[in-house]
Amino acid sequence: MRTISSFNRDWMFFDPHLDDRDTRTIDGVPVSLPHNAVDIPLNYFDEGAWWRKFRYEKELAYRPEFNGRIVSLLFDGVMANAHVYLNGALVASHSDGYTRFEVSLNGHLREGSNQVSVVLDGSENPDIPPFGGRIDYLCYAGIYRDVWLKVVDQAAIDLVKIEPLDMLGSSRAVRAICRLRGSPERLQDAQLKVRLLDPANDEVAAGTASASTGEATVELGDLPGIELWDLDSPTLYSIECELLHPDFHDLVVERFGFREIEFSPDGFLLNGRRIKLRGLNRHQSYPYVGYAMGRRAQEKDAEILKFELGCNLVRTSHYPQSPWFLDHCDRIGLLVFEEIPGWQHVGNLDWQNRALENVASMIRRDWNHPSIVMWGVRINESADCSEFYRRTNALARSLDPTRPTGGVRNIADSEFLEDVYTMNDFVLGSEDLPGANHPRTALRTREEVTGLPHPVPYLITEFNGHMFPTKRIDSEDRQIEHVRRFLDVMNAAAGRDDVAGSIGWCMFDYNTHKDFGSGDRICHHGVLDMYRVPKFAAHAYASQMPPSAGPVMVPVTHWTRGDRSIGGVLPLWILTNCDRVELHYDGRLAVSAEPNRSMYPWLDHPPVIIDRRMLEDHDLSQWGLPWKKALLIGFTGGKACIDHMMVADPVPSNLTFEADHRVMLADEADHARIVVRVTDQVGNDLPYFHDPLSVRVRGAARLIGPDKLTFQGGVAAFWIASIGHSGGILVTVETSRLAPVAYALSALGKDVPRLQEAVADFVEGYGGQHEQ
């Protein structure tokens, strides 16, 4: 029976790596994975700080279960140009920084202690994607994903591909294709048993096949009671593949979902139901630590997209992302467009061959994810490269004929080799460019972009972004325009059957090279900031969620008389999924308004827009008269469901604290984001509060990043990381104008029975408040 266990703990990290010719000696630093080789400031840094070699070392003690078996290491992601050594001997090299690779240790393992060494180079190697040109994101050096120790018999299951069949017909079935590892002599007389298990782990069907040829296929049919995987009911089944032989045994379990997808010239269908795709692009980066975040931080991003922003699709721009992220997309019902590494540049033939290897690695790793609906097989925004892209498409279709291919471009009349024409359409805002001769336009027509005489499947894969970068602390005028641009494109896409949907650029702000962004090494393109704190534009997405998911009502204003040009708060944009909104000014009903369907006829939930024509002259007062408080009340189905108070004289009144997780996991690399807010008398953020604060973390966690921060628009955020043992965690936040806040969390590990006692002792010692 195989075993796969975490290999993340007890590494030594050496910076810099010294080769045999260097006579210097340096001490290693103990680290756990995932790990970022060089932690960086939030902004204004040298992106070449990690362009050098680093070394990781770990001892592996020989175990009796290694005898006569295949022992290997699985690396989920190493950036980049990795060379793996065992006891001084080179056993494998892997240049790509985004794809998984397996390293066999057999032939170099010895009884006693074995030293595993990984030497990587963070330099931007022009011989491999995405490098060779300029790229609008950073590739942070380090072993930034998990490493696993894998032990299997000499004959074992290598890959499992699951293909659901006839999902919308009366003969639902599933095919399991297993590739086996082992010599023909060893596999002779071996049998493969395949079981289909339902979400409760009960057997639904089973079958067997001979495994003697090195590949076995089992098809299980007559499955009338199967539940389909869908956005609102992401039902997951399991395929259990068991290799049976008197001399060896192996068992692999893969989760998957039964679902049918189709991109047609008339849109996107999931299980035969037409769905308008609405999503955002996501990078996998975080402040200070780059890519090196663990499972629950990855899962939290998926949850933000699905449950806080109301997206039904995410594009993994511009590379395959964490398996943890994709697993969670499967569980929560979030569709994924996954693509190969790259940004605009296409290199020589060797470079292209490496890109083809990335296509194969991406698809083989992820082909059982029901959430993935398309493979991106073109370098993002690259020029046409006919022969290269014929090869990437052919390879993808041969490996996985069940999903379409897409190729993201930003040029019109581009050669169409994929199954879906995927386009970054930045026409909105281009009317302001020199020489432009067109009015404000949300989206170009499909025919104008493709130049094709016949209709084809069509998806908008980026819009906005660099056309109107906006910081969370920007003026109210700019925030309103930022909101409008997202609403305009979503509305245009929703109103056209020939557009499958739109994916905005992007989910959150991200670090980048000096050649891009705002000069501070940040692209402020997100609807969230780097800490995942919402800008007003985030609520443009959230307001499209159905009222059954919860009421949304966010006014795009700081409720001040003089923040906008000319002054006042009109027109007042209110992002909401309510049927009607009342504005009460100084205790008196000023107006009752409904969503503006004349401006946004195709949105599920247009914004409410209150302008001067809807008010009496004395409402919202004029210059020279007192500014008063206001109350918004949202109604759905004739009943009040949400309210929002805005004061006229905001002052710092409360220091609030919110953590993603109150209990951290001590036995894995766990991270919890903490958001601290300074709010006014009624709980609203103070948009121009920028005081400093200090953070102290004690107990079973450590702080990521500096302990001296500043509030940005009344909000500060940071992550804490578990450190490998159970116990209490006390986070203290201090700022000069409000009383300090001490917040207690806990870390839970294998020593659970003592956890509550340990946490209680810890909290009592520091006077914090523990929340269970």
Side-chain angles (χ1 to χ4, degrees):
M1 178 75 75
R2 71 171 53 205
T3 61
I4 297 180
S5 55
S6 174
F7 204 65
N8 287 343
R9 294 282 182 85
D10 302 322
W11 288 81
M12 295 297 292
F13 173 66
F14 297 86
D15 175 18
H17 162 68
L18 303 180
D19 60 29
D20 294 338
R21 294 168 295 178
D22 199 315
T23 59
R24 293 176 296 164
T25 59
I26 59 171
D27 294 328
V29 177
V31 299
S32 292
L33 308 181
H35 180 258
N36 191 43
V38 177
D39 289 349
I40 59 174
L42 180 68
N43 53 20
Y44 294 110
F45 51 81
D46 176 11
E47 64 260 33
W50 54 89
W51 293 357
R52 60 180 184 274
K53 290 184 178 181
F54 305 91
R55 185 172 84 256
Y56 293 80
E57 292 183 355
K58 178 178 168 68
E59 296 299 314
L60 172 62
Y62 194 88
R63 306 172 189 175
E65 58 265 33
F66 293 172
N67 292 332
R69 308 183 77 197
I70 298 173
V71 182
S72 60
L73 293 176
L74 290 173
F75 291 85
D76 277 344
V78 180
M79 185 65 69
N81 307 291
H83 300 281
V84 183
Y85 299 84
L86 181 63
N87 298 322
L90 178 66
V91 292
S93 296
H94 186 80
S95 60
D96 179 65
Y98 293 102
T99 53
R100 173 183 290 169
F101 62 101
E102 183 172 355
V103 177
S104 173
L105 304 183
N106 289 76
H108 297 280
L109 272 174
R110 61 194 182 201
E111 293 189 4
S113 179
N114 295 267
Q115 185 183 71
V116 176
S117 299
V118 180
V119 177
L120 59 88
D121 190 342
S123 304
E124 297 189 350
N125 179 0
D127 296 331
I128 64 171
F131 307 120
R134 301 189 187 280
I135 55 174
D136 179 22
Y137 56 93
L138 298 179
C139 303
Y140 309 86
I143 306 180
Y144 69 92
R145 290 182 185 158
D146 299 273
V147 180
W148 309 90
L149 177 66
K150 175 182 173 183
V151 183
V152 298
D153 289 333
Q154 290 289 335
I157 298 168
D158 189 25
L159 288 173
V160 176
K161 186 175 191 296
I162 302 167
E163 296 181 351
L165 306 170
D166 195 26
M167 289 300 90
L168 303 184
S170 58
S171 305
R172 291 178 183 170
V174 62
R175 179 187 298 131
I177 305 168
C178 297
R179 190 176 76 186
L180 308 172
R181 175 187 296 175
S183 65
E185 295 78 16
R186 194 178 298 274
L187 287 170
Q188 189 174 4
D189 300 326
Q191 291 286 312
L192 182 74
K193 180 180 179 180
V194 174
R195 296 200 305 152
L196 172 63
L197 307 176
D198 67 15
N201 222 32
D202 294 327
E203 183 177 299
V204 177
T208 59
S210 170
S212 60
T213 63
E215 183 169 299
T217 299
V218 174
E219 187 170 314
L220 304 176
D222 191 22
L223 308 173
I226 291 296
E227 297 180 26
L228 297 181
W229 185 96
D230 213 322
L231 298 178
D232 297 325
S233 55
T235 304
L236 292 173
Y237 288 77
S238 297
I239 282 286
E240 181 185 274
C241 298
E242 189 172 14
L243 185 61
L244 301 171
H245 190 276
D247 298 331
F248 53 83
H249 177 260
D250 196 16
L251 180 70
V252 172
V253 179
E254 289 279 345
R255 300 183 79 185
F256 74 104
F258 289 91
R259 58 103 180 98
E260 182 81 16
I261 58 169
E262 180 186 358
F263 282 90
S264 80
D266 298 322
F268 172 76
L269 288 87
L270 176 62
N271 300 327
R273 177 169 59 96
R274 192 171 307 280
I275 292 173
K276 186 64 68 173
L277 298 173
R278 184 175 63 247
L280 288 162
N281 287 268
R282 176 194 184 247
H283 275 301
Q284 63 178 16
S285 55
Y286 297 81
Y288 306 111
V289 296
Y291 291 161
M293 279 285 196
R295 175 178 63 86
R296 289 212 291 179
Q298 306 289 339
E299 293 174 349
K300 181 62 179 178
D301 271 6
E303 292 170 0
I304 291 171
L305 284 160
K306 170 84 174 186
F307 301 118
E308 298 181 23
L309 299 174
C311 294
N312 55 27
L313 175 72
V314 59
R315 174 179 168 224
T316 65
S317 51
H318 304 284
Y319 37 77
Q321 296 188 2
S322 166
W324 298 124
F325 179 76
L326 298 175
D327 287 345
H328 209 48
C329 290
D330 291 342
R331 284 191 291 269
I332 66 177
L334 180 62
L335 302 173
V336 178
F337 172 19
E338 188 173 40
E339 66 182 359
I340 56 174
W343 200 82
Q344 295 191 345
H345 170 77
V346 175
N348 61 22
L349 184 60
D350 288 341
W351 191 100
Q352 294 173 30
N353 288 336
R354 292 178 186 271
L356 263 82
E357 293 173 4
N358 291 340
V359 171
S361 296
M362 172 181 71
I363 293 175
R364 289 191 177 110
R365 188 194 75 167
D366 294 333
W367 54 20
N368 292 329
H369 286 284
S371 59
I372 295 178
V373 295
M374 185 160 50
W375 302 118
V377 297
R378 178 179 176 130
I379 302 301
N380 175 69
E381 296 187 343
S382 60
D384 289 342
C385 192
S386 184
E387 181 57 32
F388 175 39
Y389 290 135
R390 290 182 188 278
R391 294 171 68 201
T392 61
N393 277 276
L395 177 59
R397 290 167 182 146
S398 68
L399 290 172
D400 182 22
T402 71
R403 290 179 179 86
T405 60
V408 174
R409 72 266 286 156
N410 62 350
I411 51 176
D413 300 317
S414 171
E415 184 178 25
F416 180 47
L417 300 173
E418 302 82 26
D419 301 309
V420 181
Y421 200 109
T422 46
M423 178 68 180
N424 294 348
D425 190 349
F426 296 111
V427 68
L428 181 56
S430 66
E431 67 274 8
D432 297 328
L433 296 175
N437 187 27
H438 61 81
R440 182 180 175 113
T441 304
L443 290 175
R444 287 172 283 182
T445 67
R446 177 178 62 187
E447 291 71 24
E448 180 184 0
V449 170
T450 68
L452 298 172
H454 56 277
V456 296
Y458 186 67
L459 175 66
I460 303 300
T461 41
E462 291 182 31
F463 64 90
N464 207 8
H466 69 282
M467 301 300 289
F468 202 76
T470 302
K471 305 172 185 64
R472 192 170 53 79
I473 57 174
D474 277 344
S475 70
E476 194 168 302
D477 291 305
R478 191 169 188 88
Q479 301 266 14
I480 292 169
E481 176 61 20
H482 195 224
V483 165
R484 282 193 61 192
R485 292 184 181 218
F486 279 100
L487 290 175
D488 287 356
V489 173
M490 286 193 287
N491 177 68
R496 288 171 42 182
D497 291 339
D498 62 344
V499 178
S502 59
I503 311 172
W505 189 265
C506 56
M507 180 185 175
F508 51 80
D509 300 343
Y510 56 96
N511 287 128
T512 189
H513 290 83
K514 65 177 179 61
D515 311 287
F516 305 92
S518 297
D520 57 352
R521 309 303 195 275
I522 298 176
C523 278
H524 298 274
H525 297 174
V527 300
L528 314 172
D529 70 11
M530 289 180 66
Y531 296 96
R532 284 58 169 171
V533 177
K535 305 173 189 178
F536 280 120
H539 306 290
Y541 277 85
S543 64
Q544 301 310 302
M545 291 191 287
S548 59
V552 176
M553 186 182 65
V554 178
V556 188
T557 182
H558 304 316
W559 197 252
T560 62
R561 173 173 278 157
D563 192 35
R564 296 192 194 183
S565 302
I566 304 177
V569 295
L570 298 179
L572 177 58
W573 290 64
I574 304 169
L575 303 169
T576 184
N577 57 6
C578 296
D579 302 333
R580 180 171 61 89
V581 172
E582 289 182 355
L583 169 62
H584 296 253
Y585 183 71
D586 196 23
R588 179 179 55 80
L589 176 63
V591 65
S592 176
E594 296 182 353
N596 192 323
R597 295 197 175 276
S598 62
M599 184 178 291
Y600 295 102
W602 298 296
L603 285 180
D604 290 338
H605 303 286
V608 170
I609 305 174
I610 298 173
D611 62 27
R612 172 57 63 188
R613 296 168 297 177
M614 305 166 69
L615 298 167
E616 300 293 336
D617 288 341
H618 57 271
D619 289 326
L620 274 64
S621 71
Q622 302 300 312
W623 282 101
L625 296 177
W627 185 245
K628 301 292 186 179
K629 66 183 179 181
L631 172 67
L632 295 172
I633 303 176
F635 293 81
T636 298
K639 297 181 178 179
C641 58
I642 188 172
D643 60 68
H644 182 86
M645 176 69 77
M646 296 175 287
V647 297
D649 57 343
V651 293
S653 303
N654 305 285
L655 187 62
T656 67
F657 189 108
E658 181 182 355
D660 285 342
H661 316 292
R662 292 174 178 171
V663 177
M664 301 190 69
L665 304 179
D667 296 328
E668 63 179 82
D670 197 19
H671 303 87
R673 180 188 55 150
I674 294 172
V675 179
V676 183
R677 300 178 184 273
V678 172
T679 61
D680 64 20
Q681 302 93 306
V682 293
N684 296 321
D685 295 342
L686 294 172
Y688 301 117
F689 185 92
H690 301 316
D691 283 15
L693 74 155
S694 61
V695 180
R696 186 177 183 187
V697 178
R698 289 171 282 185
R702 62 177 177 86
L703 175 67
I704 293 177
D707 60 1
K708 299 292 189 297
L709 305 171
T710 57
F711 286 97
Q712 296 292 309
V715 183
F718 52 90
W719 276 266
I720 60 174
S722 60
I723 56 176
H725 61 79
S726 298
I729 303 166
L730 192 69
V731 180
T732 305
V733 175
E734 297 185 27
T735 188
S736 61
R737 288 199 265 172
L738 292 164
V741 171
Y743 192 88
L745 302 88
S746 55
L748 183 149
K750 295 177 180 177
D751 49 342
V752 176
R754 279 209 68 248
L755 178 63
Q756 290 300 326
E757 178 183 347
V759 170
D761 291 345
F762 178 83
V763 172
E764 182 179 353
Y766 285 107
Q769 179 181 358
H770 179 235
E771 298 198 19
Q772 299 189 19

